[in-house]
Amino acid sequence: MILVVGHKNPDSDSICSALAATELLKARGLDAKPIRQGEINRETAHILEVAGVEQPEFRDSVAGEKIWLVDYSDLAQAPDDVNEAEILGIVDHHRLGDVMTVNPLEAWIWPVGCSCTVLFNMFKIEGAEITPAIAKLMMSAILSDTVGFASPTCTQKDKDAVQELAKIAGVDDVDAFIKALLIAKTDIEGLTPAQLVEKDLKAYPFNGRDVVVGQIELATLEQVDGQIDALEQDLVRRCEEDSLAFAAVMLTDITTATTRLLYKGEWAAKLDKHADNGVLMMENTLSRKKQGWPWLQAELV
Ligand SMILES: [Mn+2]
């Protein structure tokens, strides 16, 4: 049995890739099962409902198991006991991380917008059948990760994949499909400040210290107008509790590609020169991976 596991604090790609990769391994005649390391978000719940697919089982321990990683190759995002598992494969679209293996492995890491774009091409290369449900999962993950093709991470391979997957999934109106997805993506009603920060929080070891950067995708920045203080207090709390050098959250209006950055911690003063009256705006910033985090790395050195 091979366990297919996405990253901690799973996003839609992490869940959909685990489900799709499992089907690909089964098509190879292997026994495989998708797992998740955390609760699914509202967007992912929407996607699973549309596709009519059950969420993977929760499991955060993989000691003694054979595993595939999807959507990451960093130890910080893997199950804590990943060193006691045998990593057989990786499907990813991020920079190469720091996991190590004992034996040779299959590594499918492409500079595209979504792990599901890599998986779609693996299905094609291997001549494996893509069911309408799996097609819906994969196209949704691609549209989520690329924010409906608007992100600078989006490539022609992502667009081509969605076009082919939409045909298999029987989705005639891709624009309407994207709209419903983005509504689910930006639904933050009723979430507490801590839940908002946690929603899509990633840990990065940097210069010997720990840093976290979250992102909240919004239809308008007004959605968090009354919660700025509470969100900043939550960042302060995380710095204290987890000895972080820096904690930030990107508030991103996905309709205008405008981001407001909230930031706290020992290293916060390094960014103050970019703030205006305590408000740090990042124009034309949609992607944490391609825009937010590279900029922060340059500023925090
Ligand atoms: Mn991804």
Side-chain angles (χ1 to χ4, degrees), residues 138-293:
M138 289 201 279
M139 72 180 280
S140 298
I142 298 167
L143 291 167
S144 169
D145 264 13
T146 64
V147 195
F149 304 132
S151 171
T153 59
C154 186
T155 68
Q156 191 59 44
K157 284 192 174 70
D158 301 299
K159 294 176 185 169
D160 293 345
V162 169
Q163 202 182 8
E164 287 194 48
L165 288 166
K167 278 186 212 144
I168 299 167
V171 174
D172 298 326
D173 190 343
V174 175
D175 288 337
F177 191 90
I178 293 173
K179 200 174 169 202
L181 185 78
L182 295 187
I183 287 171
K185 190 191 234 340
T186 56
D187 175 15
I188 58 162
E189 212 176 298
L191 295 180
T192 66
Q195 286 171 327
L196 282 169
V197 172
E198 191 76 34
K199 194 166 182 269
D200 180 13
L201 191 67
K202 282 200 171 153
Y204 301 92
F206 188 68
N207 275 354
R209 294 290 305 275
D210 287 322
V211 164
V212 295
V213 182
Q215 185 171 30
I216 306 168
E217 290 166 306
L218 302 163
T220 163
L221 292 183
E222 286 170 19
Q223 283 174 271
V224 288
D225 256 356
Q227 301 192 72
I228 300 297
D229 286 349
L231 290 167
E232 288 183 333
Q233 278 166 29
D234 189 75
L235 295 176
V236 170
R237 176 185 66 81
R238 283 171 202 276
C239 286
E240 287 168 359
E241 287 178 7
D242 301 326
S243 305
L244 306 172
F246 183 80
V249 63
M250 295 169 64
L251 308 175
T252 301
D253 178 336
I254 63 171
T255 67
T256 60
T258 304
T259 292
R260 178 174 176 187
L261 188 77
L262 305 183
Y263 58 100
K264 290 289 172 188
E266 281 168 51
W267 293 350
K270 297 179 191 227
L271 297 186
D272 283 343
K273 61 178 180 287
H274 299 290
D276 190 7
N277 272 328
V279 177
L280 198 164
M281 297 301 298
M282 306 165 86
E283 301 300 327
N284 195 21
T285 300
L286 197 56
S287 164
R288 171 176 48 195
K289 177 168 68 180
K290 274 223 161 169
Q291 298 164 322
W293 178 234

Side-chain angles (χ1 to χ4, degrees), residues 11 13 71 93-94 113-115 145:
D11 61 0
D13 187 20
D71 207 30
H93 67 121
H94 296 88
C114 180
S115 297
D145 264 13

